[in-house]
Amino acid sequence: MNALSDTWSWLTTAAHWSGPDGVWHRLGEHLFLTAVCLLISCLIALPVALVLGHLGKGGALAVNLSNVGRAVPTFAVLVLLLLTPIGTHGQWSTIIALVLFAVPPLLTNAYVGMREVDRDVVRAARGMGMTGRQMLVGVELPLALPMILTGVRIAAVQLVATATLAALAGGGGLGRIITGLQPRLHPAGGGRSDPGGRLRAPRREPLRGRSAARSAARPGGRVNRVRRTLAALALLAATACDQGPSLENRGEVTAPPGDSRELTVGSAGFTESDLLAQLYALLLEHAGYSTDLISVTNREIYEPALENGQIDVVPEYAATFADWLGAKAHGADAKPVGSPDLTTTMKALRELAAPRGLTVLDPGRAVDQNAFAVTAAYAKKHGLRTLSDVGAAKLPVRLAAGDECVQRPYCAPGLRSTYGIDVVAVDPKGVGTTQAKQAVQSGQDQMVLTTTTDATLDQFGLVLLEDDKKLQNADYVVPVVNRARAGSAGVRDALGRLNTVLTTADLASMNEQVDSWRRLPEDVARTYLEAKRLLPKG
């Protein structure tokens, strides 16, 4: 209570909100520093990523450099810079450290966005006689812009959170205020702080990353050069221990599984992933763990964070993640290792995950696969229950799906080769979008590509057709954990309780409650777990 009363007293003191050391002035410094670092980072990362993405070269180098940049804590970089002649100019040390921190998400997202531009569109532009520069500016850049802006948003949020480190280098910003409050909120011998003197976020608050090591808070005093050196060496040693192996061609990780009591649960930023992350966090908390949530929309970013311990647990999809790790280990042209057989897929996935320090826990019954739907009236008229029935009926099918369906082996080509379905055209309205379902509902198209957890099909009078020949891979929901931090039996048992109850239909129902009923993912997840008696009510 003393800490709370001290904090309240400080916040309600008018003098702390005005003047050169007031909150408003420090907030302005903080935002200005963030804006400058973000601008410099964009000027460095975006041109490089756009050129590499346009040329289709240097992708592995760009992503690996970004991963290396993410693996080194900003605090460690700042401390090392303070030991050099640059350290005499504290603000420049902070700017360099923050720029190095912000470049990786900008570079990775921009490059991935450029490479995800439909190659058919690029070839069409080239066929129209457009020059390389015209294609870059007029075609590729606009299509890649959403992914680029996602990278800018992630970098901006990370910079705002990390700019508090400026206080350590004698700079301004909110770090000066937080550092000043820290000794009273965390007195000697009690509590913990992040390396920059930042206040620890409350449990369950969404974070944008976790420092690789925590240091004890010490009130007052100026750290001399010898102590700075020792602090830097200690931090780097702790980081090395925390992150574990990070090279591509390394052997099986044999260290015993860790059991950190403070875990970060990751989400990929879409409804279903958010729900699964909430389910995991609630079950872990019930088992005695403290959890934070972090949302990262790009697998190129959150998977390395899972390897180095910034994220401890994440919900994944077995076949998709296996193929992704296979491509990461063996190149983009690597043969897919996911298959319709769950046992085969899990074996391949675990073999790829283990050398990276990751443990793949057991899958449950819930599966989120591509699926194909038609109207109930159309199915009844032609006696359709399975995709084989469509092929046997020799019906011409116009398919509402994403642009990539033309080439993906699990979409139009697979429907033709596996089921003999006469796909006469692909209507590019997206995967499971409202526009795609409306096109089938109106009769403009005959079939729509969606997912097995789509709970809105009834609203459009649609029914799923059974994938009776197993065209789709085994994309069962699986928890993936960082072995060194969350590979214990306690985590396995806590998350394994979900496997006994969660079904594909349950997942679809929860998706509907969030997307259609506008309920919060945490409320939906808690209600579900209470109904299944995995959490006590109330």
Side-chain angles (χ1 to χ4, degrees):
M1 293 300 295
N2 289 335
L4 291 176
S5 62
D6 286 349
T7 304
W8 178 252
S9 175
W10 192 96
L11 292 173
T12 54
T13 301
H16 292 158
W17 292 83
S18 59
D21 291 322
V23 172
W24 296 120
H25 181 76
R26 294 302 183 191
L27 177 61
E29 291 179 333
H30 197 96
L31 294 178
F32 179 75
L33 176 63
T34 299
V36 169
C37 292
L38 182 62
L39 177 60
I40 295 174
S41 303
C42 289
L43 292 176
I44 294 173
L46 295 185
V48 174
L50 294 179
V51 171
L52 292 178
H54 173 70
L55 297 176
K57 299 178 180 179
L61 177 62
V63 173
N64 287 331
L65 286 177
S66 296
N67 291 342
V68 171
R70 282 193 293 270
V72 180
T74 308
F75 179 62
V77 175
L78 179 59
V79 172
L80 292 175
L81 287 172
L82 289 174
L83 302 178
T84 69
I86 299 176
T88 59
H89 306 282
Q91 196 76 343
W92 280 109
S93 300
T94 305
I95 290 174
I96 293 172
L98 292 179
V99 166
L100 291 175
F101 182 58
V103 163
L106 290 167
L107 182 64
T108 302
N109 278 267
Y111 177 80
V112 171
M114 291 291 291
R115 297 311 301 161
E116 286 187 351
V117 173
D118 193 331
R119 295 298 98 186
D120 288 340
V121 175
V122 174
R123 285 191 287 270
R126 186 178 292 113
M128 294 171 61
M130 297 181 72
T131 64
R133 181 177 180 180
Q134 288 173 328
M135 285 193 297
L136 174 62
V137 176
V139 178
E140 293 174 303
L141 183 57
L143 293 176
L145 191 58
M147 184 67 78
I148 295 173
L149 293 179
T150 297
V152 173
R153 175 177 59 82
I154 293 172
V157 171
Q158 291 177 339
L159 285 173
V160 168
T162 314
T164 51
L165 294 177
L168 295 180
L174 293 175
R176 294 293 290 271
I177 296 174
I178 297 174
T179 303
L181 278 175
Q182 180 192 340
R184 294 203 294 175
L185 291 178
H186 297 287
R192 291 181 297 274
S193 70
D194 285 338
R198 292 174 289 173
L199 299 180
R200 177 170 171 77
R203 295 174 65 194
R204 305 299 313 281
E205 181 179 343
L207 300 178
R208 287 294 171 182
R210 174 183 291 175
S211 176
R214 292 186 171 97
S215 60
R218 293 182 60 92
R222 183 175 182 84
V223 182
N224 58 35
R225 187 171 294 271
V226 174
R227 284 161 64 186
R228 284 178 181 171
T229 304
L230 293 175
L233 293 175
L235 181 63
L236 291 175
T239 301
C241 293
D242 182 64
Q243 290 171 353
S246 58
L247 300 177
E248 291 296 337
N249 298 316
R250 56 186 181 263
E252 182 97 11
V253 175
T254 57
D259 191 26
S260 172
R261 308 308 293 181
E262 298 177 354
L263 301 176
T264 296
V265 181
S267 160
F270 57 93
T271 296
E272 187 170 292
S273 187
D274 290 343
L275 279 165
L276 289 166
Q278 292 284 358
L279 290 168
Y280 291 177
L282 289 168
L283 287 171
L284 289 168
E285 286 189 349
H286 183 60
Y289 295 87
S290 174
T291 63
D292 296 321
L293 294 179
I294 179 171
S295 179
V296 183
T297 58
N298 192 319
R299 186 179 277 114
E300 282 80 3
I301 296 175
Y302 74 68
E303 190 277 333
L306 183 63
E307 288 188 34
N308 65 36
Q310 289 179 301
I311 296 176
D312 304 310
V313 185
V314 71
E316 264 294 354
Y317 300 92
T320 297
F321 196 46
D323 287 345
W324 194 88
L325 288 180
K328 184 176 181 180
H330 306 299
D333 296 329
K335 182 180 179 180
V337 295
S339 76
D341 181 71
L342 178 59
T343 301
T344 302
T345 298
M346 288 297 295
K347 182 176 183 295
L349 174 56
R350 283 171 167 155
E351 289 176 351
L352 288 164
R356 299 181 177 277
L358 306 180
T359 296
V360 183
L361 304 186
D362 292 336
R365 293 184 287 166
V367 57
D368 187 353
Q369 297 171 313
N370 286 340
F372 298 92
V374 297
T375 64
Y378 186 83
K380 183 178 180 179
K381 177 180 178 181
H382 298 286
L384 306 178
R385 187 180 57 84
T386 67
L387 289 172
S388 291
D389 294 336
V390 181
K394 303 298 182 183
L395 298 170
V397 171
R398 182 178 166 91
L399 176 62
D403 295 341
E404 68 281 0
C405 180
V406 176
Q407 299 176 326
R408 295 289 170 88
Y410 308 122
C411 199
L415 291 176
R416 294 188 181 103
S417 61
T418 302
Y419 288 105
I421 296 176
D422 182 16
V423 181
V424 296
V426 173
D427 188 3
K429 284 185 165 56
V431 179
T433 63
T434 298
Q435 293 81 2
K437 295 170 192 171
Q438 288 174 339
V440 177
Q441 183 183 37
S442 66
Q444 177 184 345
D445 299 328
Q446 288 73 50
M447 186 183 295
V448 60
L449 170 62
T450 183
T451 65
T452 53
T453 58
D454 187 340
T456 66
L457 296 178
D458 287 345
Q459 300 174 18
F460 299 90
L462 304 178
V463 293
L464 289 178
L465 297 176
E466 181 186 349
D467 181 19
D468 53 310
K469 292 185 178 179
K470 306 298 181 184
L471 170 63
Q472 304 303 324
N473 282 343
D475 258 335
Y476 283 75
V477 175
V478 291
V480 182
V481 304
N482 179 287
R483 177 181 172 84
R485 291 182 51 83
S488 68
V491 172
R492 184 185 300 272
D493 292 344
L495 299 182
R497 299 174 65 201
L498 193 61
N499 291 347
T500 62
V501 297
L502 184 64
T503 65
T504 303
D506 291 341
L507 205 48
S509 175
M510 286 190 283
N511 286 338
E512 182 181 26
Q513 292 178 56
V514 175
D515 290 335
S516 299
W517 304 357
R518 301 304 179 191
R519 294 188 63 194
L520 294 175
E522 181 175 3
D523 293 340
V524 173
R526 185 180 297 277
T527 301
Y528 176 79
L529 292 176
E530 290 175 354
K532 297 297 182 180
R533 299 182 179 179
L534 297 181
L535 284 184
K537 290 190 176 181

